Amino acid sequence: MRIILAGIRLIIFSVIALLATFFIWLTRLFRMGQGASFFFFRQAVKSIRFCLNIHVKYSGDIPSETAVIMSNHRSYIDVVLIPSHIPYVIIAKKQVKAWPIIGMTGVALKVIFVDRDSPESRRHTRNQLVDRLREGLSVLVYPEGTTFEGPGILPMKPGIFNTSASEGFSVVPVAIEFKDKSMAWIGKDTFLPHFFRAFGTWRIEVAVSMGDMQRGSDAAALRENVQNWVDAETRRLAESAF
């Protein structure tokens, strides 16, 4: 039964992603702007949460102004969990670009793909981040650089904090925690086996907490504040949110 349920959900997930990609590419073709693309993206993620029966407990204030949204990273499904009133673009590792369907959707959404092993790629990513924020878009970043099952989070990479501090960008910390720890997608686990294990469960419960917007010219202090808040908040959610 679990395999059948997961199989049906995988088909639905794929269809939603393909439809979203089609409409997002249309917005690019007709030069309708990132706001129109984000509208179809937002409808797609709502549909995905509904069809996969993902129940999210939100707390904190949803960003209503341009910011760098910094979240911990548990799984590939994290991207459908982050709310924002402002259209945002996503920074993702370059491998995502090669994923079937998801990679196509990412390209259509102008995802910023980064090779974390390449200093030139990281520098280009920081430049793109600055450009997007100056255009009035937010940017979603997973500063741990990879997924982690917890408890807590991995050390956050300093690069984005240096850029945020030097440019005066606001930062919004976000904590994500799943009730079922097996939802974490880590190590050498591949997409399909993980999807069938995770989404063969009837109901997925997750808590998402939005922290207070922060700004500062001291990159080290900004990083420490965000790191400490997200780490503590994921641990609090794990203990008391479900």
Side-chain angles (χ1 to χ4, degrees), residues 9-119:
R9 284 175 167 173
L10 180 61
I11 293 170
I12 294 172
F13 174 85
S14 301
V15 169
I16 293 172
L18 282 171
L19 287 173
T21 302
F22 172 75
F23 285 110
I24 291 167
W25 274 109
L26 282 181
T27 66
R28 293 191 61 183
L29 179 64
F30 291 101
R31 302 179 183 275
M32 298 171 66
Q34 192 70 15
S37 299
F38 190 72
F39 169 80
F40 287 110
F41 170 73
R42 189 156 49 187
Q43 301 314 305
V45 299
K46 288 179 180 178
S47 299
I48 288 171
R49 289 200 300 264
F50 175 78
C51 293
L52 299 186
N53 204 17
I54 300 173
H55 289 252
V56 189
K57 295 180 180 179
Y58 287 108
S59 58
D61 296 327
I62 298 174
S64 57
E65 60 182 86
T66 300
V68 182
I69 303 169
M70 295 193 181
S71 172
N72 68 303
H73 203 7
R74 293 291 190 238
S75 178
Y76 48 81
I77 206 68
D78 292 350
V79 72
V80 309
L81 305 175
I82 307 296
S84 176
H85 297 305
I86 303 296
Y88 60 74
V89 294
I90 304 163
I91 295 180
K93 60 184 180 181
K94 68 172 185 177
Q95 292 87 341
V96 174
K97 192 174 183 179
W99 291 3
I101 303 177
I102 294 176
M104 291 172 55
T105 308
V107 171
L109 281 169
K110 298 184 179 180
V111 167
I112 302 171
F113 295 103
V114 57
D115 180 357
R116 298 188 185 277
D117 296 325
S118 167

Side-chain angles (χ1 to χ4, degrees), residues 195-239:
F195 190 97
F196 274 83
R197 288 198 311 274
F199 293 101
T201 302
W202 174 245
R203 178 185 171 104
I204 308 298
E205 293 189 62
V206 56
V208 177
S209 181
M210 318 292 292
D212 293 335
M213 190 170 287
Q214 301 187 29
R215 185 186 289 111
S217 59
D218 186 334
L222 185 62
R223 176 172 174 251
E224 182 179 11
N225 290 341
V226 172
Q227 171 86 33
N228 290 344
W229 185 89
V230 176
D231 184 80
E233 187 67 2
T234 54
R235 294 174 189 272
R236 185 191 71 81
L237 293 174
E239 293 177 357

Side-chain angles (χ1 to χ4, degrees), residues 147-206:
T147 53
F148 181 61
E149 65 181 333
I153 65 172
L154 295 171
M156 292 180 169
K157 310 294 184 185
I160 299 299
F161 291 96
N162 294 334
T163 303
S164 299
S166 64
E167 297 291 337
F169 295 139
S170 299
V171 172
V172 176
V174 178
I176 296 175
E177 194 64 58
F178 288 90
K179 182 178 182 179
D180 182 358
K181 304 308 177 188
S182 68
M183 284 296 299
W185 189 49
I186 55 173
K188 297 182 179 180
D189 201 1
T190 53
F191 177 79
L192 283 178
H194 179 272
F195 190 97
F196 274 83
R197 288 198 311 274
F199 293 101
T201 302
W202 174 245
R203 178 185 171 104
I204 308 298
E205 293 189 62
V206 56

